[in-house]
Amino acid sequence: MGKRYYCDYCNKSFADNPVSRKTHLSGVVHAQNKRAHYDAFRDEEEILRDESNKRPCRTFLSSGQCKFGDRCQYSHLTNDDKAHLAEIVNHKRKLAEIKLQDTPQDVEDDSFIQSLDKWTKKRAEKKAQEDSAKDGPIPKQTFSAAIPDYQLAECLTSVVNPPPSLLPPTKEELLNAEYAEWG
Ligand SMILES: [Zn+2]
Ligand SMILES: [Zn+2]
């Protein structure tokens, strides 16, 4: 028994050779079956739009039959069919909206992102403050407050005229001192 080709669309198998395959795949019946298959998965909205753009097929609508079948250039949908499709489309849209609004995962993600945003913003502000403090000169008041009150060492209190290098510096002196830049 030779190899056989099975066509999913037509639910049919035949001897597999290039000629019969080509004949089948280019055949009208195969094209119709293939189209019918995809029509089943086509979005109702798309079908509705396509069909609404077509003129109604008088033959089909009056007799229920049309020799062109799915390939007919006119629409085989009755007004009821279209209304039904429109209902399905609306229903699907509503479902999609509800899904969008009520998904707990999304809500969680939103608040998480918001708190993350806040944190990032705060951090950026803090960093900007630190940076500007680093760049600018330290205000004298801040510096003055940071200077400890130096006292004369106790062991020197009894010394008459201690050498200047042993005297505690005053705040005034420290504030006006020239500092060498090391680098
Ligand atoms: Zn086929
Ligand atoms: Zn028709």
Side-chain angles (χ1 to χ4, degrees):
M1 191 175 153
K3 219 171 129 193
R4 291 188 72 77
Y5 182 93
Y6 181 78
C7 179
D8 286 313
Y9 301 117
C10 304
N11 208 4
K12 181 183 166 188
S13 68
F14 49 87
D16 189 18
N17 61 66
V19 176
S20 63
R21 201 194 274 213
K22 199 178 168 191
T23 308
H24 176 84
L25 294 182
S26 60
V28 175
V29 176
H30 174 78
Q32 278 181 3
N33 285 334
K34 189 175 174 180
R35 195 173 147 176
H37 172 79
Y38 283 112
D39 273 356
F41 293 96
R42 256 165 87 205
D43 193 42
E44 286 85 354
E45 199 169 353
E46 196 189 324
I47 296 173
L48 185 63
R49 194 173 52 225
D50 284 356
E51 295 295 322
S52 298
N53 286 334
K54 291 180 194 169
R55 288 209 209 153
C57 175
R58 279 190 205 165
T59 316
F60 184 84
L61 294 179
S62 62
S63 68
Q65 279 181 332
C66 169
K67 62 175 176 178
F68 297 109
D70 284 339
R71 292 169 305 129
C72 182
Q73 60 171 315
Y74 301 110
S75 178
H76 287 183
L77 292 187
T78 62
N79 284 337
D80 275 356
D81 289 337
K82 284 184 201 164
H84 181 63
L85 268 180
E87 228 170 75
I88 294 175
V89 170
N90 280 336
H91 183 66
K92 275 195 171 179
R93 273 199 198 135
K94 263 181 205 156
L95 274 183
E97 272 170 30
I98 290 168
K99 214 173 168 189
L100 209 69
Q101 287 166 1
D102 285 357
T103 315
Q105 188 61 44
D106 284 353
V107 173
E108 260 177 37
D109 281 356
D110 274 1
S111 67
F112 171 73
I113 288 168
Q114 274 173 15
S115 71
L116 190 66
D117 273 356
K118 245 187 215 167
W119 181 80
T120 316
K121 224 177 179 181
K122 253 190 190 169
R123 191 165 177 270
E125 277 169 12
K126 205 177 162 196
K127 193 156 189 304
Q129 272 178 10
E130 280 173 6
D131 281 354
S132 70
K134 225 183 272 171
D135 290 344
I138 300 167
K140 271 203 172 178
Q141 283 169 334
T142 314
F143 192 42
S144 166
I147 299 171
D149 239 339
Y150 291 110
Q151 304 288 334
L152 186 68
E154 254 183 64
C155 58
L156 294 175
T157 46
S158 56
V159 179
V160 184
N161 286 331
S165 64
L166 291 178
L167 293 174
T170 64
K171 279 198 181 190
E172 205 58 29
E173 278 167 352
L174 284 171
L175 281 174
N176 296 322
E178 297 270 332
Y179 293 97
E181 290 269 346
W182 296 85

